[in-house]
Amino acid sequence: MSTADIDDVVVIGGGHNGLVAAAYVAQAGLRVRVIERDTVLGGAVSTVERFPGYRVDRGSSAHLMIRHTPILDELDLSRFGLRYIDCDPWAFAPDPDGGDALVFFADLDRTCTNIERVCGPDDAAAYREFIRVWTPRAQAVMRAFITPATLDRFGRAFGGLYRTATTARRGIIGARAGAMSSMAQDMMLSGDALLDRWFDSPRLKAALSWFGAQSGPPMTAPGTAPMVGFAALMHKIPPGRAVGGSGALTTALLNRLDADGAIVESGCAASLLQRDPAGWRITLADGSRRRARRVIAACHINATLDLLGDVAPRDVARWRRQIVVGNGIGMAVRLGTTALPDYPGLPADLPPHGVHSGLGLLVTDRAHLNAAHADAIAGLLPRRPALVAMSFSALDPTLAPVNRQQINLWAQWHPYRLSEQLRAAGQSWRTLAETAADGILTEFDRHAPGIASAVEHRYIQTPADLESELALPAGNIMHVEMSIDQMFMWRPHPDLAGHRIPGVADLFLAGASTHPGGGVTGASGRIAAHAALTRVRGTRHRLRGH
């Protein structure tokens, strides 16, 4: 094999993080190849025709974080077809008992007016102050997300916040230290404890708690406060709905890669990584081989460790024991309907699309959330699922046929591993899928009366389905748990947090298993590309934010 057959970088895994990594490397002029086991590119950021005429997301639907990174601009993805519509309102929480709905707009004043009507003036004022305090904190978290997870970078991301917190007492060292200590304590709180410090209304606390819980951990867990605080950034840039479906981001990345001469191979899984005089030899499942000077592994961390074969460090078994993949997070039901959901108690001053641009936070109170999580811990189906409803066909008519609507329901918490009692009774996700979907639809109808009768199509994705279709072990859409002990410089394990495997040269890690974790950010792909380009050029390769 000649040197002309050796790629500069092979990216294993064509999810959005792998494609982001490949795009940065190809943009820099290197020869890049992406290898993806699936025939659909993008992983959980992809959209397919589930029902005739419907474009249905396979995983994510709303993009909350990537628009808070420089990635879209650095890769100039708008030039390659990517267009977002603001989700505004960005969230809402109807009252099943018929009261006024809580509605969160990008405009803070408008949001506070709604909160005052629903929850009272004290909570409206508290929310305004909460957003003021948590906006710079959430911005600091995002700065930490787009750079490697090291203590010095973490410190730089949060540098200067003490000045904001002590404006009235600038120059007083003790006050600064106290402000930093107070902020650090807030960051380590549980989401629910943070909410109890700020608000009185059970409904407001339930809505914000459910918004924060989307990453997986319950808001009773320590260190989940920043997940609630991230809501502050929604008043800066709200969630975005990619026109044509979540997979439009993947399509734009593929267009970018094609323009830069990258090669993308789908339907061919990598099966083995071996050292080669030029760097790496990658064996595919069909027995064919590719060669590369460097590899970026953007698949699940356990899949990456499986590929290493003879070059695997002896610590692999220990890493596997200590990385917590978890027991799934939830499941999805995708609907084709004859109507949009009709939620009670909506305000009169809504845009033409109503609240259907936003995340429907369909919970009654925090006890509802806690009970669903407790059931999942026991390996049971939740007696009342906690739902997020998204009806983006109201914003983007290309998603459904004329006079039809497409609705995505995400339900937490549903366990991947069922209880011993259920298994002893012969139950599995194959036998329980329809029952679980029925329960989700019943809960949906509780919040939007009559919607169940409008359903013409439904597609069910249980935790087992998420594992088999999207290569998500245990059905965990975040790859590994997003608990505080597996975030930042501990993700997915302290030994692996540098996006490298100790003792294995020219192999870089990306994907949701690595910092900053799951969700649509592209950040881990950006970080891995930075590391690979630094290695190629022999000098530090700078990206904005590093």
Side-chain angles (χ1 to χ4, degrees):
M1 188 177 287
S2 70
T3 56
D5 297 316
I6 302 174
D7 296 307
D8 292 312
V9 175
V10 162
V11 178
I12 299 175
H16 85 286
N17 276 298
L19 297 177
V20 165
Y24 274 108
V25 177
Q27 183 185 49
L30 275 63
R31 176 170 169 157
V32 180
R33 183 185 304 267
V34 178
I35 295 171
E36 166 57 41
R37 67 162 195 104
D38 201 347
T39 55
V40 178
L41 275 298
V45 184
S46 55
T47 304
V48 298
E49 188 178 59
R50 292 290 192 199
F51 328 118
Y54 289 85
R55 295 185 56 77
V56 182
D57 298 327
R58 295 205 303 168
S60 67
S61 288
H63 294 180
L64 275 69
M65 289 186 288
I66 195 167
R67 298 208 301 166
H68 294 269
T69 76
I71 292 169
L72 303 180
D73 289 336
E74 288 177 349
L75 295 177
D76 199 11
L77 292 184
S78 62
R79 184 162 65 91
F80 294 93
L82 181 62
R83 185 165 70 89
Y84 279 105
I85 303 174
D86 285 350
C87 295
D88 189 13
W90 57 266
F92 62 96
D95 181 2
D97 294 328
D100 289 341
L102 271 171
V103 182
F104 300 86
F105 300 91
D107 182 84
L108 180 58
D109 290 337
R110 198 174 179 187
T111 302
C112 289
T113 297
N114 174 265
I115 292 174
E116 182 170 356
R117 182 171 64 249
V118 177
C119 306
D122 289 346
D123 272 326
Y127 185 81
R128 186 182 299 276
E129 179 65 7
F130 178 79
I131 298 304
R132 185 192 70 79
V133 170
W134 272 89
T135 294
R137 294 178 178 183
Q139 289 170 329
V141 170
M142 284 306 304
R143 287 195 296 272
F145 274 9
I146 64 171
T147 60
T150 61
L151 283 173
D152 62 322
R153 287 189 175 92
F154 190 80
R156 286 200 297 272
F158 284 84
L161 287 190
Y162 68 88
R163 290 190 293 273
T164 301
T166 60
T167 301
R169 302 181 66 183
R170 187 171 294 145
I172 303 176
I173 294 175
R176 290 179 175 178
M180 287 297 285
S181 177
S182 176
M183 182 183 71
Q185 182 191 39
D186 283 354
M187 301 291 279
M188 294 304 296
L189 286 172
S190 71
D192 281 350
L194 179 75
L195 290 167
D196 288 338
R197 289 188 175 194
W198 281 91
F199 306 113
D200 293 323
S201 166
R203 287 192 57 204
L204 180 59
K205 289 191 280 191
L208 292 174
S209 182
W210 187 212
F211 175 82
Q214 302 309 299
S215 295
M219 290 298 100
T220 54
T224 53
M227 297 176 183
V228 173
F230 187 72
L233 290 189
M234 301 301 96
H235 296 287
K236 292 290 186 182
I237 303 175
R241 176 60 188 179
V243 175
S246 185
L249 172 59
T250 292
T251 299
L253 287 164
L254 291 171
N255 291 341
R256 166 97 233 190
L257 287 166
D258 183 63
D260 287 332
I263 299 170
V264 178
E265 298 184 88
S266 60
C268 54
S271 61
L272 182 64
L273 284 172
Q274 295 171 294
R275 294 301 296 176
D276 181 275
W280 288 99
R281 183 167 62 252
I282 304 102
T283 302
L284 306 186
D286 64 5
S288 63
R289 291 178 175 177
R290 308 291 183 269
R291 295 177 69 199
R293 294 180 175 85
R294 288 161 191 89
V295 168
I296 296 175
C299 43
H300 194 283
I301 183 58
N302 284 342
T304 301
L305 297 177
D306 287 342
L307 293 174
L308 293 180
D310 292 343
V311 300
R314 61 183 179 183
D315 290 314
V316 164
R318 177 172 62 87
W319 294 334
R320 288 186 186 278
R321 286 194 304 271
Q322 295 175 356
I323 294 171
V324 182
V325 173
N327 189 24
I329 296 178
M331 61 179 284
V333 178
R334 318 289 183 171
L335 302 175
T337 68
T338 59
L340 288 166
D342 184 12
Y343 299 103
L346 298 178
D349 60 339
L350 290 172
H353 55 258
V355 293
H356 300 295
S357 67
L359 307 176
L361 305 171
L362 307 187
V363 295
T364 50
D365 50 37
R366 287 186 291 178
H368 181 181
L369 295 174
N370 293 337
H373 186 255
D375 286 340
I377 289 176
L380 305 172
L381 300 186
R383 285 159 286 184
R384 282 190 60 197
L387 304 186
V388 172
M390 294 161 281
S391 310
F392 292 136
S393 57
L395 272 183
D396 181 1
T398 68
L399 300 177
V402 176
N403 297 324
R404 294 295 186 270
Q405 303 295 334
Q406 200 275 302
I407 301 170
N408 294 304
L409 300 177
W410 173 253
Q412 282 178 227
W413 283 261
H414 286 73
Y416 170 79
R417 290 181 295 277
L418 298 169
S419 71
E420 184 178 344
Q421 292 88 341
L422 284 174
R423 288 183 281 110
Q427 299 284 17
S428 67
W429 270 116
R430 181 180 56 80
T431 62
L432 290 174
E434 294 291 340
T435 299
D438 288 343
I440 289 167
L441 198 54
T442 297
E443 184 64 23
F444 188 27
D445 201 75
R446 181 196 300 258
H447 294 269
I451 189 61
S453 63
V455 175
E456 289 186 323
H457 308 280
R458 75 179 186 184
Y459 184 86
I460 304 167
Q461 292 172 293
T462 70
D465 295 325
L466 293 170
E467 178 182 65
S468 60
E469 181 179 5
L470 298 177
L472 298 170
N476 189 339
I477 58 173
M478 304 297 177
H479 280 204
V480 300
E481 292 288 85
M482 297 275 281
S483 52
I484 190 61
D485 59 301
Q486 291 198 141
M487 293 292 288
F488 299 105
M489 62 283 296
W490 305 295
R491 187 172 188 87
H493 186 280
D495 294 349
L496 308 173
H499 293 260
R500 305 289 293 274
I501 296 178
V504 182
D506 294 319
L507 175 64
F508 307 90
L509 304 177
S513 301
T514 65
H515 169 74
V520 183
T521 69
S524 76
R526 182 180 187 265
I527 293 168
H530 160 84
L533 289 169
T534 297
R535 177 71 172 162
V536 168
R537 294 176 175 177
T539 59
R540 181 168 175 73
H541 180 267
R542 294 194 63 81
L543 293 173
R544 215 179 342 150
H546 282 266

